[in-house]
Amino acid sequence: MTTIPEGVSLGMPQLPAPDYPDDVRARLEADGREIIARYPDSRSALLPLLHLVQAEEGHVTRTGQQFCADLLDLTTAEVAAVVTFYTMYRRRPSGDYQVGVCTNTLCAVMGGDAIFEELQEHLAVGNGETTDDGKVTLEHIECNAACDFAPVVMVNWEFFDNQTPVSAKRLVDDLRAGRPVEPTRGAPLCSFKETARILAGFPDERPGAVEASGGAGPASLVGLRLARGEAAPARVVHPREGGPHTEPRDGAVHDPSPGEHLSSHDAPQDTSASDPAHPAGPTAEEGE
């Protein structure tokens, strides 16, 4: 089925896009010129300019596309080709919080599919749809390089690790109610419009944002040490029998402390390893 882009009608001439109010356009032009000055070829500024106009209205409107075309001396068709290619640009109104559930292979088998299905039912929305209050847009997303903490939910591109259907539903309920929400790693949470302006390349002025970082997980760090030729102790991982515990050669078990890669919405790590409705059975060797 072919999807017709926003504002396009077949068989009829398309009306010109409405312009921004004078004060808004003047402000956006000043910011746009600053972005363009970063690049030797002005056309290279198109991606951050699209983030800039997305920060204005929460999605890339026909007005925003026309603005980018005017500023870069491009056709609206050239701009639209980029907008429709990248999923990070929204082409219709969306929520203050973009809640993305990773359904790529590892997160899916660890429970991501179950989280996504239950959130759709809980919020009464489908993929890419927004709740009636305009707070939350739900979508399934591809891998965000956080496999150590699967299943992962992202809100405006900030990480919420080791999720379960219960913790994910609590997370979206808090977002809709305006209660404080803290990501597991990285910068503090902000609105989607604020995120878009940061992605346009402007300074992130939130307290604590500069110091924040999203560290890699234990599995990735072990791999890094092995790649460097450093010795690593033997580890036995039991994801279905008490969380991500490890057993060094001496048999001692390490229990992660409560503050280790946790946020106010992390699920208990001993229940996040799989979808309870589809538990893994014994391997062929175990069944023999």
Side-chain angles (χ1 to χ4, degrees), residues 68-284:
C68 293
D70 292 344
L71 218 57
L72 297 175
D73 195 25
L74 300 173
T75 65
T76 54
E78 289 173 307
V79 175
V82 174
V83 174
T84 55
F85 181 81
Y86 291 104
T87 58
M88 59 192 175
Y89 300 120
R90 314 301 181 191
R91 286 178 284 153
R92 58 184 178 183
S94 57
D96 296 331
Y97 300 101
Q98 307 282 320
V99 176
V101 181
C102 181
T103 55
N104 215 314
T105 306
L106 184 57
C107 278
V109 300
M110 296 289 276
D113 284 347
I115 291 173
F116 185 64
E117 290 171 7
E118 293 208 24
L119 282 183
Q120 288 186 92
E121 181 178 355
H122 184 67
L123 297 172
V125 297
N127 181 44
E129 295 180 353
T130 303
T131 53
D132 292 339
D133 57 10
K135 294 290 186 180
V136 170
T137 297
L138 178 68
E139 63 178 350
H140 67 78
I141 55 178
E142 296 299 323
C143 183
N144 280 274
C147 302
D148 289 351
F149 307 108
V152 174
V153 173
M154 300 195 80
V155 180
N156 296 346
W157 307 116
E158 300 295 349
F159 291 103
F160 291 82
D161 302 326
N162 302 302
Q163 293 296 293
T164 67
V166 172
S167 66
K169 285 187 282 190
R170 185 173 69 246
L171 169 61
V172 296
D173 286 347
D174 285 346
L175 290 171
R176 298 182 72 183
R179 290 188 285 267
V181 170
E182 296 180 5
T184 306
R185 299 167 285 129
L189 190 65
C190 63
S191 73
F192 182 64
K193 289 183 179 181
E194 291 171 318
T195 301
R197 183 169 175 82
I198 295 167
L199 291 174
F202 292 96
D204 187 348
E205 299 176 350
R206 292 171 294 165
V210 175
E211 296 81 7
S213 64
S220 293
L221 296 178
V222 167
L224 178 62
R225 289 195 292 270
L226 290 172
R228 290 174 175 171
E230 301 173 9
R235 290 164 25 111
V236 179
V237 180
H238 301 290
R240 301 183 190 278
E241 301 175 8
H245 306 324
T246 60
E247 294 182 2
R249 285 193 171 90
D250 60 7
V253 176
H254 166 67
D255 289 299
S257 65
E260 194 171 337
H261 298 298
L262 299 181
S263 78
S264 59
H265 291 83
D266 269 328
Q269 295 197 15
D270 59 353
T271 63
S272 65
S274 67
D275 177 2
H278 302 88
T283 63

